[in-house]
Amino acid sequence: MAGSWQWSGESNIPQYWSWLTTQAASRDLTLCQTESLSGPIRLIDNADCHIARQDKLLLQIEQELISLSQTDFHQLKRTHAKHLVFPLASEMLCRNLVDVPAWLSSLPSLRPLQVLAYGEGHYQQWRLLNKMQKTCGIIHWLSIKLDNQAALSFCFCRSYRGFRKSEKLLKAWQQLLERECPSQALDFTALFAANPLVAENPELSQIPGNPEIAVQARSWLKALLSGACSNEHGIILDVDNEYLHQYRVNMRKARSLLSLCKGIFVETQQRSFAQKLTEWMQQTNALRDLDVHLQDLSNYKLILPAHLQSQADELQRRLHDKRKSALRSVKRLLDSSRYQRERQALLEETSRLTLGPKGHKHAYQYGRKRLFKQLGKIFTLANRLDEQSPDNDLHQLRIALKKARYLAEFFQPTKTTKPLLKLTSWLKRLTQDFGQFNDACVQQLALQAWLEEAKADKRTSVDYHHALNLLLLNYQAQKQQYKLKIHQHVTKLRDPIHQSKLLATM
């Protein structure tokens, strides 16, 4: 085959899985296979091997396309299941794909792609998950045998979001492969080069001394906005829905900082800044909601009786279709020149926000007063509630608690006292419990909407309607259970003795 690829005998990679699993367990990580493809494989290139001459391969296995280079392993997501008919112009191929690498989209349009070789292939994707089931690292393993060439295995490891435990483990495995499989064709030395998908973890560092609140807030806003933007590439590649979640968390914290600290900057600037953050978050709402629903799909089959469990697959198919549309919309936003221009302008504006009437106040004295006031608002909201209060009133209390949590995290003094740490921990636990109730409310509303949608579609089966009804009843019952727990918190919040204890942590 043309190009500088070196074909060697089958490596001994499979024997290391047990070693890797053992090492992962010792670091509180689990190794989970998330994808496996086996079957006929086709090597795709044009007549003069333009792709191979760039030390790259383009392979098709089942209905997936995989691009392979000396430093990259990229599985291309098909937008539909139509078979590719060769010869094929490169622009036609790229038009039917998402996440197209730049080198593939830049192929000469006058050189149609052809199938140069046939063979057998096996692809596996493994994920390292932490206790919270977050993806810490991914391992891709591809074994191919084309025509009369000897079989060869390719392995790529990547750690995500700066998880150090997984990075050390994957590096150790990389070194083991380098020692045991020196004939591998790929260059492992660049394996852990700067990874664009390791998102920035914004450090809300505190300026030494007793800075003015405007100066400190500028620093926090820049860190939060930069942290949000560092997740954009991960959102676009759709590697893990955690990137979108962290993007929104950082945006929400920045927006909360502005809404809680009114008057620290000129009002028109402060309002404009917050409105832009709100606008971007609103455009990601649909995708985030679908991610949350799809995460809960694993519970659906446990809820449904055996004869209706197949309807969960039908719901999953419909939600994935909706998600594809929502993801395309978010990608268009992040890729647009307007968004990139506005994002850069906003990042620059963080250093130029003009001091407002309260901007000169000392940051931590201001923060303590603001937190004290926010706790008072929480007590007032709690005193208005009873067991008959509508869900929206509980939602308002949840938002107030979340803002208090952000304030406590922002304005902790450098040497944090134990009482304030206790307050922060309590607020975190409370917002998590309220979050579970809110998630059940969101699921209930979504299921009601899906049921109405299904009833309007005459093609849907009676079993599908019945399955949605059962799921809806389950989440209604779940919501009531969470509501009982929430009202226990509310009762405590209304207790004057408990209120005094919380205020004493200040």
Side-chain angles (χ1 to χ4, degrees):
M1 187 185 72
S4 62
W5 289 94
Q6 301 170 9
W7 300 92
S8 66
E10 178 70 47
S11 73
N12 296 318
I13 290 175
Q15 74 184 43
Y16 301 129
W17 287 116
S18 59
W19 174 87
L20 183 62
T21 304
T22 303
Q23 294 297 312
S26 69
R27 291 168 169 80
D28 295 325
L29 300 166
T30 56
L31 190 65
C32 174
Q33 184 175 327
T34 52
E35 192 165 2
S36 179
L37 302 170
S38 292
I41 197 166
R42 302 194 285 182
L43 172 65
I44 302 167
D45 210 327
N46 50 32
D48 62 357
C49 295
H50 186 89
I51 298 175
R53 284 193 287 107
Q54 300 180 64
D55 289 337
K56 297 178 174 68
L57 296 178
L58 182 60
L59 303 160
Q60 183 182 11
I61 178 169
E62 293 187 6
Q63 289 304 306
E64 298 288 343
L65 284 171
I66 293 172
S67 69
L68 192 63
S69 73
Q70 296 289 81
T71 56
D72 172 63
F73 190 109
H74 194 90
Q75 187 174 2
L76 304 174
K77 309 294 184 183
R78 293 293 307 278
T79 57
H80 51 72
K82 290 183 180 178
H83 291 284
L84 298 177
V85 180
F86 296 93
L88 178 71
S90 58
E91 62 267 24
M92 292 297 294
L93 173 66
C94 295
R95 192 178 301 164
N96 293 328
L97 298 172
V98 293
D99 298 341
V100 182
W103 63 265
L104 183 55
S105 58
S106 63
L107 288 175
S109 58
L110 298 177
R111 295 173 181 166
L113 298 171
Q114 306 174 48
V115 178
L116 295 189
Y118 294 87
E120 294 294 322
H122 182 55
Y123 166 76
Q124 291 182 349
Q125 180 189 103
W126 297 73
R127 292 190 178 226
L128 283 169
L129 306 176
N130 65 6
K131 288 182 177 180
M132 301 297 292
Q133 297 300 298
K134 300 297 184 185
T135 302
C136 302
I138 297 183
I139 300 167
H140 303 273
W141 177 31
L142 175 69
S143 177
I144 59 177
K145 182 176 174 62
L146 294 171
D147 289 345
N148 297 321
Q149 303 287 349
L152 182 66
S153 292
F154 299 90
C155 186
F156 290 79
C157 314
R158 291 191 177 96
S159 63
Y160 291 108
R161 296 196 300 278
F163 284 101
R164 295 301 173 194
K165 287 184 178 180
S166 65
E167 186 171 334
K168 289 178 181 177
L169 174 59
L170 293 175
K171 279 186 176 179
W173 199 51
Q174 169 201 345
Q175 291 164 0
L176 182 63
L177 287 172
E178 288 175 341
R179 186 173 68 250
E180 300 293 333
C181 309
S183 58
Q184 285 290 4
L186 297 186
D187 176 15
F188 281 92
T189 59
L191 195 61
F192 285 93
N195 191 329
L197 291 180
V198 176
E200 180 183 333
N201 186 17
E203 297 220 0
L204 301 179
S205 56
Q206 298 166 1
I207 296 172
N210 199 358
E212 293 182 343
I213 178 59
V215 174
Q216 181 63 81
R218 285 194 197 105
S219 172
W220 285 338
L221 282 172
K222 187 169 185 178
L224 288 166
L225 194 54
S226 298
C229 295
S230 71
N231 288 280
E232 291 169 0
H233 192 58
I235 296 170
I236 291 169
L237 291 184
D238 198 26
V239 175
D240 192 308
N241 59 33
E242 184 68 11
Y243 290 104
L244 177 63
H245 180 51
Q246 291 303 320
Y247 174 89
R248 289 169 57 83
V249 165
N250 287 313
M251 289 280 186
R252 185 165 58 242
K253 284 185 176 180
R255 189 179 61 181
S256 293
L257 179 63
L258 290 166
S259 69
L260 288 164
C261 302
K262 290 178 181 176
I264 61 173
F265 302 120
V266 170
E267 184 182 354
T268 53
Q269 289 182 333
Q270 196 160 336
R271 192 189 312 122
S272 174
F273 201 109
Q275 284 175 345
K276 182 53 63 178
L277 298 179
T278 300
E279 177 189 324
W280 289 339
M281 284 190 66
Q282 285 174 342
Q283 292 183 68
T284 65
N285 281 347
L287 180 57
R288 179 57 188 165
D289 286 346
L290 286 163
D291 282 340
V292 171
H293 297 320
L294 285 165
Q295 282 176 343
D296 231 28
L297 270 172
S298 58
N299 295 325
Y300 289 175
K301 287 189 177 181
L302 299 175
I303 296 168
L304 295 173
H307 72 285
L308 289 177
Q309 286 181 0
S310 62
Q311 300 306 315
D313 296 328
E314 171 62 16
L315 177 58
Q316 183 175 27
R317 182 189 65 77
R318 290 174 178 241
L319 293 186
H320 272 300
D321 286 343
K322 291 176 183 289
R323 188 184 184 280
K324 286 177 185 176
S325 176
L327 179 61
R328 283 196 296 271
S329 177
V330 171
K331 284 184 178 181
R332 281 196 298 271
L333 167 71
L334 299 180
D335 280 333
S336 68
S337 56
R338 177 183 176 182
Y339 171 82
Q340 292 170 17
R341 190 169 57 248
E342 290 178 343
R343 178 195 61 190
Q344 186 58 35
L346 211 61
L347 279 166
E348 293 172 0
E349 191 179 341
T350 56
S351 303
R352 299 196 301 263
L353 287 166
T354 308
L355 202 72
K358 297 181 181 179
H360 65 282
K361 293 180 179 290
H362 290 163
Y364 300 106
Q365 293 173 4
Y366 175 89
R368 281 170 61 88
K369 289 180 180 178
R370 196 65 192 81
L371 180 55
F372 190 90
K373 186 176 180 181
Q374 187 65 20
L375 288 174
K377 182 178 180 179
I378 288 169
F379 302 150
T380 301
L381 288 171
N383 285 330
R384 293 174 184 168
L385 296 173
D386 56 38
E387 293 184 358
Q388 306 304 317
S389 297
D391 293 348
N392 189 56
D393 288 355
L394 293 173
H395 179 62
Q396 295 304 315
L397 178 57
R398 182 180 73 90
I399 292 173
L401 285 164
K402 187 170 284 190
K403 287 183 176 181
R405 174 183 166 183
Y406 292 158
L407 280 169
E409 291 173 352
F410 279 129
F411 292 104
Q412 286 183 17
T414 306
K415 293 183 179 179
T416 307
T417 57
K418 285 186 178 179
L420 190 54
L421 278 174
K422 188 176 180 180
L423 174 63
T424 306
S425 178
W426 173 79
L427 286 167
K428 184 176 182 179
R429 186 171 62 254
L430 217 61
T431 53
Q432 286 172 343
D433 287 346
F434 271 80
Q436 285 183 322
F437 171 72
N438 185 65
D439 288 346
C441 293
V442 170
Q443 283 284 7
Q444 179 187 342
L445 291 172
L447 283 161
Q448 286 174 335
W450 299 336
L451 185 57
E452 293 302 318
E453 188 180 275
K455 288 177 179 177
D457 185 353
K458 295 180 180 179
R459 296 170 297 177
T460 56
S461 67
V462 174
D463 279 352
Y464 184 64
H465 292 180
H466 188 33
L468 289 178
N469 263 317
L470 288 177
L471 291 171
L472 180 57
L473 289 171
N474 178 272
Y475 278 97
Q476 285 173 338
Q478 203 175 95
K479 190 182 87 169
Q480 289 307 311
Q481 290 177 352
Y482 289 137
K483 199 167 188 177
L484 288 173
K485 191 174 183 179
I486 291 302
H487 277 296
Q488 290 175 358
H489 288 308
V490 171
T491 301
K492 203 169 183 180
L493 281 170
R494 295 170 62 180
D495 180 3
I497 296 174
H498 183 65
Q499 291 178 2
S500 298
K501 286 181 180 178
L502 290 175
L503 293 173
T505 63
M506 301 291 295

